[in-house]
């Protein structure tokens, strides 16, 4: 349970790898040491190539074309990578010995149209072969490079020296272009993305126009953007996905708001009967049990008053009720069937954000965890928990953990933290999710919920012993069992022949590493069930059959 904090927005600032502010625009001014690959070609002499021995800039004056043309084509343009002033329709220079056609005259035979796509070998066409092993040659990305090349054809005014390996936009091999080209491409991409976002905020999305291309169901906006025009509804989620699980469970998840004499906060819950019964954590509603009030908010936004129907502080579970029928009740799954690494989804209201969906995996099962509720005096208040790396935060308490079918396999209850910090007014603050969360196993939660609905109270099995941890590990990371230090007279353990000093190491097939593990293992069974208790006495391992009784 949590109160909702204030959310702040922070402006991004800083400089790029070249020491310039990130927000700076890349222009075509000569004062810049480098030029954007998307800047238009320069029209005057280039300061990057000026000097003795520099190549001629631009096309030669009229009448100065050598006989047979320039070897290898026209002289190179500016070192920034601008296109030559006179190029063929495909973006290539005329072959050796052939001068460019006079102005206004097409170089193609009559009746032949120029090609509409990039020609192989042209600056914007696909390279003739893959420049990197295993590549297609059209990616424009070399080994170890995190950026990708712009696709072809290029934007109007883009440079066109052919780039480096991988085609246009690949790592440049032009020795006349100094500077980290790769870093500049990253900066330009970021600037473009920022501009698009700003444009979207300022001017909105342009109206759709009727023109369609041959890709089917795609229209163009008045800003020249492509958009799907099929108008199809959202595709149904595939089975076994987070989306499918969320669609199944979300209608059954509620936000619970509690106001008591000493606190106010929010938690989560899940509808388990269509006539208004909701399962949650005891610590979410304990304040309302002592004179406070509860409000439930459905996924539809409807708010309803709720009453506490029954609580069990020892298991940290509670059932509340709202006066409404026809509700979408969730389905319980089999928590004993969970596999380590299986996909699970948590749904709830972390930080008051109702209907939040997060996903992860099952990290461990049968993890004994104490409830941590300081108001609970029962020393047996230990959860037989599922550990998950799913993001669980304050406010998720009482919400469901579901499998890929959207079935309840746990009730989110606790998280591990790395220690809180003090707030500005001395309040203790939680660290939030660190990837170690715990949920009460659904098989156990269902058993307690049924008792709370029918009798408004819950009963638990017990072994009839008081025990202490046994461990030779000074770090406490591993235990060797639970040593009996006291027996309940006439209790299940004493009747089965166990004595003080015996060290219990297993209950059925579950290893008992410490006292909490013993409590969790016993509580996983029903009252009256017979279990095999393995223990050591005088260095010898023995087994006793113990019939569990109801805890007084």
């Amino acid at each position: 349970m949590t109160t909702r904090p204030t959310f702040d927005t922070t402006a991004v600032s800083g400089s790029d790898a070249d020491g310039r502010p990130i927000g700076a625009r890349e222009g075509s001014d000569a004062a810049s040491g480098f030029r954007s690959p998307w800047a238009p070609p320069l029209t005057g002499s280039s300061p990057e190539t000026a000097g003795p021995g520099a190549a001629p800039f631009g096309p030669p004056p009229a009448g100065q074309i050598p006989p047979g043309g320039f070897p290898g084509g026209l002289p190179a343009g500016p070192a920034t990578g601008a296109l030559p002033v006179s190029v063929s329709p495909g973006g290539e220079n005329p072959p050796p010995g052939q001068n460019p056609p006079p102005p206004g005259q097409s170089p193609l035979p009559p009746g032949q149209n120029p090609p509409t796509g990039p020609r192989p070998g042209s600056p914007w066409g696909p390279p003739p072969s893959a420049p990197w092993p295993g590549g297609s040659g059209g990616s424009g990305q070399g080994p170890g490079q995190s950026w990708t090349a712009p696709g072809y054809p290029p934007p109007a005014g883009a440079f066109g020296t052919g780039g480096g390996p991988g085609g246009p936009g690949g790592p440049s091999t032009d020795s006349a272009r100094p500077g980290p080209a790769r870093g500049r491409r990253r900066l330009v991409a970021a600037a473009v993305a920022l501009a698009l976002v700003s444009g979207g905020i300022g001017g909105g999305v342009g109206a759709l126009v009727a023109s369609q291309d041959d890709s089917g169901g795609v229209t163009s906006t008045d800003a020249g953007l492509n958009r799907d025009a099929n108008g199809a509804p959202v595709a149904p989620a595939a089975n076994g996905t987070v989306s499918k699980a969320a669609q199944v469970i979300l209608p059954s998840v509620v936000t619970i708001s509690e106001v008591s004499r000493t606190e106010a906060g929010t938690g989560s819950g899940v509808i388990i009967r269509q006539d208004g019964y909701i399962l949650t954590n005891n610590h979410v509603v304990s304040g309302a049990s002592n004179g406070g009030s509860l409000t439930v908010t459905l996924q539809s936004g409807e708010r309803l008053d709720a009453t506490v129907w029954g609580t069990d502080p020892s298991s940290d579970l509670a059932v509340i009720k709202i006066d409404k029928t026809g509700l979408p009740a969730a389905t319980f799954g089999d928590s004993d069937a969970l596999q380590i690494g299986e996909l699970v989804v948590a749904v709830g209201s972390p930080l008051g954000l109702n209907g939040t969906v997060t996903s992860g995996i099952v990290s461990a099962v049968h993890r004994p965890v104490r409830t941590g509720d300081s108001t609970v005096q029962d020393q047996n208040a230990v959860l037989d928990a599922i550990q998950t790396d799913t993001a669980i935060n304050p406010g998720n308490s009482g919400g469901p953990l579901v499998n890929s079918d959207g079935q309840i396999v746990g009730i989110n209850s606790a998280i591990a933290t790395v220690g809180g910090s003090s707030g500005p007014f001395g309040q203790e603050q939680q660290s939030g999710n660190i990837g170690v969360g715990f949920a009460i196993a659904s098989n156990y939660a269902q058993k307690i919920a049924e008792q709370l609905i029918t009798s408004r109270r819950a009963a638990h099995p017990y072994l009839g012993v008081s025990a202490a941890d046994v461990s030779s590990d000074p770090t406490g990371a591993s235990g060797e069992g639970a040593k009996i230090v006291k027996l309940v007279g006439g209790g299940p353990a004493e009747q089965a022949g166990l004595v003080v000093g015996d060290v219990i190491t297993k209950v059925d097939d579950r290893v008992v590493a410490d006292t909490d593990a013993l409590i969790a293992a016993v509580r996983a069974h029903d009252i009256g069930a017979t279990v095999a208790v393995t223990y050591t006495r005088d260095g010898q391992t023995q087994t006793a059959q113990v019939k569990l009784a109801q805890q007084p």
Side-chain angles (χ1 to χ4, degrees):
M1 182 177 66
T2 183
T3 54
R4 183 170 181 173
T6 301
F7 292 93
D8 297 326
T9 57
T10 304
V12 178
S13 63
S15 302
D16 65 0
D18 299 328
R20 297 173 303 166
I22 289 178
R25 295 178 62 90
E26 287 204 15
S28 58
D29 57 297
S32 172
F34 308 101
R35 283 183 47 77
S36 165
W38 304 126
L42 297 175
T43 57
S45 63
S46 170
E48 298 178 37
T49 58
F57 176 76
Q64 294 187 17
I65 300 178
F70 287 99
L74 291 174
T80 53
L83 280 169
V85 175
S86 179
V87 295
S88 65
E92 301 165 312
N93 296 330
Q98 179 179 337
N99 293 329
Q105 178 178 338
S106 171
L108 300 176
Q112 179 178 344
N113 294 323
T116 58
R119 293 166 56 182
S122 72
W124 307 118
S129 61
W132 306 111
S136 64
S139 66
Q141 183 170 340
Q145 293 175 320
S146 59
W147 52 271
T148 57
Y152 49 77
F159 73 101
T161 61
S172 176
T173 58
D174 186 354
S175 60
R177 279 192 71 201
R182 186 168 54 185
R184 307 219 16 107
R185 287 169 174 78
R186 290 199 184 101
L187 179 60
V188 171
V192 170
L194 179 62
L196 290 175
V197 172
S198 300
I201 295 174
V205 178
L208 294 178
V209 295
S211 62
Q212 273 193 336
D213 61 20
D214 295 334
S215 57
V218 177
T219 63
S220 294
T221 68
D222 56 6
L225 307 181
N226 292 333
R227 180 182 176 90
D228 180 16
N230 287 326
V234 177
N239 291 331
T241 63
V242 173
S243 180
K244 180 65 173 181
Q247 287 182 8
V248 172
I249 193 61
L250 263 173
S252 304
V253 181
V254 303
T255 299
I256 301 173
S257 302
E258 179 211 41
V259 178
S260 68
R261 292 191 297 266
T262 59
E263 63 180 1
T266 60
S268 306
V270 57
I271 300 169
I272 56 174
R273 275 185 31 172
Q274 62 85 28
D275 52 350
Y277 289 93
I278 297 170
L279 180 62
T280 186
N281 284 139
N282 174 73
H283 72 260
V284 171
V285 301
S286 57
S289 301
N290 300 315
S293 63
L294 289 177
T295 303
V296 166
T297 304
L298 305 179
Q299 287 299 313
S300 64
E302 183 179 3
R303 293 171 58 88
L304 299 164
D305 291 335
T307 57
V308 177
W309 186 263
T311 65
D312 181 35
S314 184
S315 64
D316 195 23
L317 289 169
V319 171
I320 63 175
K321 193 175 188 307
I322 57 177
D323 187 15
K324 188 176 180 67
T325 59
L327 296 169
T331 301
F332 282 91
D334 184 2
S335 57
D336 288 341
L338 284 175
Q339 301 293 319
I340 304 299
E342 181 175 340
L343 171 70
V344 284
V345 177
V347 184
S349 303
L351 308 179
L353 304 172
N354 64 300
T356 297
V357 177
T358 57
S359 65
I361 63 168
V362 175
S363 303
V365 295
H366 302 311
R367 188 74 81 191
V369 177
R370 289 200 167 267
T371 61
D373 190 341
S374 60
T375 64
V376 179
Q377 303 301 317
D378 187 356
Q379 294 300 313
N380 293 322
V382 177
L383 311 176
D384 184 23
I386 299 164
Q387 180 183 329
T388 177
D389 69 347
T390 304
I392 297 175
N393 288 287
N396 272 117
S397 292
L401 184 74
V402 301
N403 58 20
S404 58
D405 294 325
Q407 300 171 338
I408 303 173
V409 293
I411 299 297
N412 301 318
S413 181
I415 57 175
T417 63
V418 293
S421 59
S422 296
F425 302 103
Q427 307 99 322
E428 187 70 14
Q429 297 179 333
Q430 296 185 10
S431 64
N433 171 63
I434 60 172
V436 183
F438 303 99
I440 304 169
S442 63
N443 288 1
Y444 182 71
Q446 180 181 352
K447 179 172 61 177
I448 299 300
E450 289 172 345
Q451 295 182 58
L452 293 178
I453 290 174
T454 57
S455 63
R456 299 198 176 195
R457 60 182 301 272
H460 303 277
Y462 87 129
L463 195 60
V465 302
S466 294
D469 297 342
V470 177
S471 176
S472 58
D473 185 352
T475 67
S478 61
E480 300 170 3
K483 184 178 181 179
I484 299 176
V485 297
K486 185 178 179 180
L487 287 165
V488 175
E494 186 179 69
Q495 291 183 12
L498 275 71
V499 300
V500 172
D502 290 345
V503 178
I504 299 175
T505 57
K506 290 179 68 175
V507 174
D508 283 342
D509 59 349
R510 287 182 58 172
V511 175
V512 173
D514 52 30
T515 305
D516 286 353
L518 175 61
I519 297 171
V522 170
R523 287 198 165 191
H525 294 82
D526 294 329
I527 298 171
T530 299
V531 297
V533 176
T534 302
Y535 61 96
T536 60
R537 179 187 298 170
D538 300 328
Q540 302 295 318
T541 300
Q542 304 181 48
T543 301
Q545 300 296 316
V546 182
K547 184 177 182 179
L548 303 177
Q550 180 175 327
Q551 180 179 335

